[in-house]
Every structure is written in C-alpha cells, then in structure tokens.
Amino acid sequence: KGYGMKYPTQQQQPTRRLLYLDKTGWSPRYDSTFYSFQILNRERCDKAPSSLPPQLGGKSNHPAFYYEITIFRGASTSKLWRRFSHFVWLYRAIQATTTAEEELKNVHLPRGTCPLTWQSNDFAATRQEALEEFLKDLLRCAGIPTHPAVLQFLELTDE
C-alpha cells in the first residue's frame, strides 16, 4: 500500500554482466563490471531530494529520513538518496519478479516504523545499519545483483 509502482521484469537484463562485491573486498582497481556500496549518512528531510528517479516506488510524505548510498563501480563513485519505502519497493519488486524464493528466505527487510520513534535520530541510525545489512544480504543472492529493480534502485546503467 502506498508503494504502487510497476515492477521491472526479470527479462530486462543488462547486456553486460555486473558483479557485486562486498565493500570489505572492494578495490578501485576493479573495472566497471564490479560494484559495491556503503550507507554512511542519513538526513531528515522536509522534502524529497530532487535527484530521485521518478520510476522508484515509495511513499512521498515528509518529513522523512533519507539514507545516502555511496556506489563504487570501477574507479568511479556516485551517491544517491533512498528512504525506507524505497527499500520496501525494491524488496517487493524482487519478490514479485524472481524465482529465487529459497534464497530470499534468508533476507529480512527491517521492520516498519513506529509513529512515536520514527523521527528519532537513534532509531534512524539503527535502521541505517539494518538497511545496509539487508541490501548486502540481498545482493549476495544469486541473480539479484543484476535484477532490473536493483539496477533501478542503485541507478546502475550498462556502460
């Protein structure tokens, strides 16, 4: 509810294979076939960042916490902002369009928010850590790092 966007289908695969590496094994010497990420910052915003892609599902009410995801791909680095509902959209998009149900059993999206604590910086810090672990677990599943929803979410294009 409130996330209602069409999900990209599994058939929309890139022409070139992308490989996810955990940040602990990352090196900028890798070419652009490889990517990694980190979530290092968060910010409570009264409106959505202007750089959000319109095709991402998610809520639009504010204020809300946005989490800064740093993407490492080859020698380049980019940053993007996502809120919790974007992670929910990603998870649902993958569930709706993949046959990897068995692997996804071990991937757990952090719980939703509690109205009394959602504006708390401590809550946002805990959620930030949980969202980073969720995304790492998700990207460790076979076939998921190149799933069209992941590519949209992380704004990874075929170079």
Side-chain angles (χ1 to χ4, degrees), residues 37-44 64-70 79-85 87 108-113 117-137 153:
F37 79 94
Q38 277 186 303
I39 303 177
L40 297 175
N41 297 308
R42 68 189 167 281
E43 188 173 318
R44 186 174 176 269
F65 275 99
Y66 283 81
Y67 302 90
E68 184 182 54
I69 304 173
T70 304
K79 295 180 186 291
L80 49 97
W81 292 92
R82 297 293 182 262
R83 62 185 283 168
F84 178 75
S85 63
F87 287 85
H108 303 287
L109 184 67
R111 295 182 54 97
T113 185
T117 62
W118 79 273
Q119 293 186 15
S120 156
N121 205 31
D122 289 340
F123 177 80
T126 301
R127 177 175 272 177
Q128 176 181 327
E129 291 174 17
L131 289 172
E132 184 167 27
E133 285 307 309
F134 159 74
L135 198 50
K136 284 179 185 177
D137 291 345
F153 180 83

Side-chain angles (χ1 to χ4, degrees), residues 29-131:
R29 295 180 306 220
Y30 290 118
D31 67 31
S32 63
T33 304
F34 298 91
Y35 73 92
S36 190
F37 79 94
Q38 277 186 303
I39 303 177
L40 297 175
N41 297 308
R42 68 189 167 281
E43 188 173 318
R44 186 174 176 269
C45 300
D46 290 326
K47 63 179 184 174
S50 60
S51 61
L52 282 178
Q55 72 272 22
L56 275 186
K59 293 184 177 180
S60 59
N61 56 323
H62 289 90
F65 275 99
Y66 283 81
Y67 302 90
E68 184 182 54
I69 304 173
T70 304
I71 306 294
F72 304 92
R73 186 168 178 196
S76 65
T77 302
S78 60
K79 295 180 186 291
L80 49 97
W81 292 92
R82 297 293 182 262
R83 62 185 283 168
F84 178 75
S85 63
H86 296 136
F87 287 85
V88 173
W89 173 87
L90 173 63
Y91 190 59
R92 289 181 179 171
I94 291 171
Q95 285 180 317
T97 59
T98 189
T99 57
E101 295 90 2
E102 190 61 37
E103 287 195 43
L104 289 176
K105 284 182 182 178
N106 297 321
V107 177
H108 303 287
L109 184 67
R111 295 182 54 97
T113 185
C114 170
L116 298 176
T117 62
W118 79 273
Q119 293 186 15
S120 156
N121 205 31
D122 289 340
F123 177 80
T126 301
R127 177 175 272 177
Q128 176 181 327
E129 291 174 17
L131 289 172

